[in-house]
Amino acid sequence: MTTRNPVEMLLHWEQERPTQPWLFQPLHGEWQGITWGQAADQVRRIASALKARYAPGTAIAISGRNTAHWFMADLAIAMAGCISVGLYPKQSTDAVKYILNHCEAKALFVGPSMDLEEFLGAVPAGIDRISFPYPDVPKGDLAWDELVKSHEPMNGYAAPDPKELWTLIYTSGTTGNPKGVMITGENLSFAAGGLMKAMPAQGQERFFSYLPLAHAFERGALEVASIYFGAEVYFLEHIEKLAEQLKEVAPTRFFGVPLVYGRIQTGVLKKMPQQKLDRLLKIPVISGIVKRKIKQGAGLQNARYLFVGAAPMPIPLLNWFQKLGITVLQGYGMTENNIYATANLPGANRIGSVGRPMPGANMKLSEEGEILFQHPGVMAGYYKEPEKTRETFTADGYLRTGDKGKVDADGYLYITGRVKDIFKTLKGKYVAPGPIEGAMARNTDIDQMCFVGTGLKQPIMVVTLLPEAWKKPREEVGKQLVADMEEVNKTLEPHEEIAKILVVKEAWTIDNNMMTPTMKVKRNMVEERYMPLIQKEAETRSKLAWEA
């Protein structure tokens, strides 16, 4: 496995491929290429500027949507001996204030983002603002281009001790304040080395970066991986262009969360209803043509690896893609183990599982079934949180994931629920909501769902619908929801059965605080917001209810 850190890898490509494009930044619909040599030159100059202003170990934050400058700023911060801290584009103002104060950030790179004025209003006084060179970014105390012009490239980079802090990745937890996960150089190089061993490069790799870089999944699978693989990276210009630019880029590896794959499915079914698709897939020659057209239409025709992470992907959705000849590989990881845990791989994929342990991942289950890990990629701890750090590790040094699981005879891991998400109904019985939500995802009208049961005799499934579902006759949608619920209930214990489907009107989004920046439903917010309605509906016998 590699021992080079990301900065050393950048300098390696600067020598090996100085004129080869690495980063492709879209501006007004045109891709602007930045070579390895150009990127390294800018990184060196920004590192010189940072080193002249801030002491080693200083926290420096990066904000805005994914851009080439996000990558370069992250590397420049590391090269200067400082600590990078990523902020989500749609982070709540309270979280922005907390994170910047908690890490004692002295500077902030400001990138393009929606609601930028609101975001900047949450930045504490005394933090230098360094503006990225984009038209919609207001000029800060310092400007990227001006710093590049006014500083000589930093030379003589000496790699720090691998065990020194490299970056802080703040979790977007569904409750409480974010925790700063301490990731070291050793954590990054170990995970990168294992990734290269398990999923080696095949020719010139091409990535598409659109998931938040503040999250460990995109940071590791895209940014860090591109530096080690020497892969090209194309950045999404705007969320509304996702389908268009994904098709244009046609990456060799595609990484998504379940919600993104669900949107791809919706896009396909909008053009070709499920019944027609099923009919065409049964015709031998036509089937192959349809599959190719769908792949090309989605921009997935070149993807040798299609991964889903950050949250469990429903088995019905995995099977739907498989029928189209599109194998979506489910993996598992968390910020605290640097997203280095388990993965399904081509030729070694078991649908429903999250795969087998990655090289050197060292996984085991506790007596209670909690999944535990111990390897060089596991975090150094939570920043300024020694007590929480101690609670997160076992006496023999294994990381507690908080997830419960089981392992089959071939070593494939299955997630059976969250230790903390398990709730108890009034009958005194425990219910794990995750697998039941996953089974209910067979219904293609559902957008998001949350299974609740605390304080109830029998659990209720709260759901939101996709925009297309609201255009259908309510009776038709309701009939299918109840039919799917009854099918799921046949597989459950009596105390686990879904008593009712409750359809609520408003979509759950990051903006209305019903989802985290990584697009996970905030279970506590669902319970808080809808509990009066849930309790009211729990007293009626109907199998389906609609929010008035």
Side-chain angles (χ1 to χ4, degrees):
M1 290 197 182
T2 182
T3 56
R4 288 174 170 172
N5 68 40
V7 171
E8 290 176 303
M9 285 304 303
L10 171 68
L11 302 183
H12 163 75
W13 295 122
E14 179 189 27
Q15 295 297 315
E16 293 287 318
R17 304 178 179 177
T19 60
Q20 182 173 317
W22 171 32
L23 308 174
F24 292 82
Q25 179 63 49
L27 281 174
H28 310 301
E30 296 289 329
W31 298 105
Q32 311 290 321
I34 300 173
T35 67
W36 287 100
Q38 290 168 337
D41 180 68
Q42 291 193 56
V43 167
R44 287 178 183 275
R45 291 173 185 272
I46 295 296
S48 290
L50 297 178
K51 198 166 185 179
R53 286 169 172 79
Y54 310 106
T58 298
I60 299 177
I62 313 172
S63 71
R65 65 174 180 264
N66 298 17
T67 61
H69 291 80
W70 214 110
F71 276 33
M72 292 189 287
D74 195 22
L75 289 161
I77 291 167
M79 194 173 197
C82 295
I83 311 302
S84 63
V85 181
L87 296 172
Y88 288 97
K90 283 189 170 283
Q91 197 117 37
S92 71
T93 54
D94 286 344
V96 170
K97 290 175 185 174
Y98 176 82
I99 291 170
L100 292 176
N101 283 321
H102 186 257
C103 71
E104 301 176 57
K106 295 293 185 286
L108 164 68
F109 283 97
V110 180
S113 176
M114 292 175 65
D115 307 319
L116 191 53
E117 191 175 327
E118 182 183 353
F119 167 78
L120 291 174
V123 177
I127 294 178
D128 295 332
R129 299 179 186 180
I130 307 170
S131 54
F132 283 160
Y134 295 92
D136 49 348
V137 177
K139 191 170 181 179
D141 307 296
L142 302 164
W144 179 280
D145 283 350
E146 291 175 7
L147 291 176
V148 168
K149 289 176 185 175
S150 60
H151 289 80
E152 290 299 313
M154 177 180 159
N155 290 309
Y157 173 71
D161 184 324
K163 295 191 180 295
E164 283 188 19
L165 181 59
W166 185 278
T167 186
L168 288 173
I169 301 180
Y170 278 82
T171 60
S172 58
T174 54
T175 58
N177 287 321
K179 296 190 290 289
V181 175
M182 296 191 288
I183 300 295
T184 67
E186 180 183 40
N187 295 154
L188 293 173
S189 60
F190 171 80
L195 181 66
M196 293 169 77
K197 183 178 180 181
M199 308 164 207
Q202 298 178 38
Q204 179 59 56
E205 297 281 357
R206 185 166 63 253
F207 298 168
F208 183 51
S209 180
Y210 69 100
L211 295 172
L213 276 164
H215 189 256
F217 184 41
E218 184 80 355
R219 194 86 162 276
L222 264 291
E223 180 191 342
V224 174
S226 79
I227 297 168
Y228 282 86
F229 282 116
E232 297 175 350
V233 182
Y234 291 75
F235 296 90
L236 175 65
E237 186 169 14
H238 191 278
I239 189 64
E240 292 176 0
K241 291 189 174 184
L242 177 58
E244 173 192 336
Q245 291 191 319
L246 173 57
K247 184 178 178 180
E248 195 175 337
V249 174
T252 58
R253 300 185 186 211
F254 181 69
F255 305 88
V257 295
L259 196 63
V260 169
Y261 284 100
R263 293 290 190 268
I264 292 173
Q265 179 195 46
T266 300
V268 171
L269 295 179
K270 203 171 182 179
K271 295 178 180 177
M272 189 180 296
Q274 189 66 57
Q275 286 184 333
K276 182 180 179 181
L277 180 60
D278 288 340
R279 190 168 65 251
L280 293 176
L281 290 176
K282 290 176 183 176
I283 306 171
V285 177
I286 299 297
S287 174
I289 295 171
V290 169
K291 289 176 181 179
R292 280 196 300 275
K293 283 193 172 182
I294 289 175
K295 280 186 182 180
Q296 289 172 348
L300 301 178
Q301 70 272 24
N302 296 327
R304 295 185 285 267
Y305 295 95
L306 286 105
F307 280 102
V308 62
M313 182 147 156
I315 293 176
L317 187 55
L318 288 165
N319 286 329
W320 185 87
F321 277 100
Q322 193 65 46
K323 284 180 183 177
L324 294 173
I326 300 172
T327 300
V328 180
L329 302 163
Q330 187 155 235
Y332 168 66
M334 56 194 296
T335 308
E336 286 83 349
N337 58 26
N338 203 21
I339 313 296
Y340 192 84
T342 67
N344 280 292
L345 298 172
N349 179 41
R350 190 155 294 179
I351 289 179
S353 81
V354 291
R356 292 185 283 200
M358 291 284 282
N362 199 14
M363 181 193 80
K364 69 177 182 179
L365 301 181
S366 71
E367 290 183 5
E368 298 74 31
E370 184 176 7
I371 305 163
L372 310 174
F373 284 94
Q374 186 186 62
H375 59 68
V378 171
M379 68 169 183
Y382 293 121
Y383 191 57
K384 297 181 180 177
E385 301 272 12
E387 189 56 41
K388 284 182 180 176
T389 298
R390 281 192 291 273
E391 291 171 2
T392 308
F393 287 89
T394 63
D396 57 349
Y398 276 77
L399 173 74
R400 301 179 188 273
T401 64
D403 290 309
K404 296 189 78 172
K406 62 180 181 180
V407 179
D408 69 15
D410 296 317
Y412 287 87
L413 174 67
Y414 295 78
I415 308 296
T416 58
R418 285 285 296 168
V419 173
K420 292 180 181 177
D421 277 353
I422 293 174
F423 58 77
K424 185 191 285 187
T425 65
L426 287 177
K427 294 178 180 178
K429 298 279 192 176
Y430 285 100
V431 178
I436 300 171
E437 291 166 351
M440 192 63 205
R442 69 185 62 199
N443 185 288
T444 55
D445 287 327
I446 294 175
D447 186 20
Q448 296 293 318
M449 71 185 90
C450 185
F451 198 39
V452 298
T454 303
L456 304 178
K457 291 178 184 176
Q458 198 70 27
I460 286 176
M461 187 72 77
V462 185
V463 307
T464 67
L465 301 179
L466 289 164
E468 290 74 16
W470 286 106
K471 297 173 186 175
K472 297 179 183 179
R474 180 177 283 194
E475 185 180 345
E476 176 189 327
V477 174
K479 186 177 179 180
Q480 190 59 53
L481 284 168
V482 171
D484 287 329
M485 177 184 78
E486 290 175 343
E487 284 300 308
V488 171
N489 280 344
K490 289 177 184 177
T491 67
L492 304 176
E493 296 293 324
H495 69 278
E496 297 176 313
E497 290 179 2
I498 308 167
K500 175 179 298 195
I501 301 283
L502 172 58
V503 183
V504 297
K505 293 186 293 186
E506 187 178 6
W508 299 338
T509 66
I510 299 168
D511 288 336
N512 63 19
N513 201 33
M514 299 301 287
M515 297 183 76
T516 71
T518 53
M519 295 182 277
K520 295 174 187 172
V521 174
K522 292 185 176 181
R523 192 172 299 278
N524 63 317
M525 294 302 296
V526 172
E527 291 180 341
E528 181 182 316
R529 179 168 177 174
Y530 298 107
M531 192 48 72
L533 181 58
I534 291 167
Q535 290 175 334
K536 176 185 172 184
E537 289 299 334
E539 299 302 316
T540 66
R541 293 192 175 186
S542 62
K543 295 181 178 179
L544 177 71
W546 300 78
E547 185 182 16

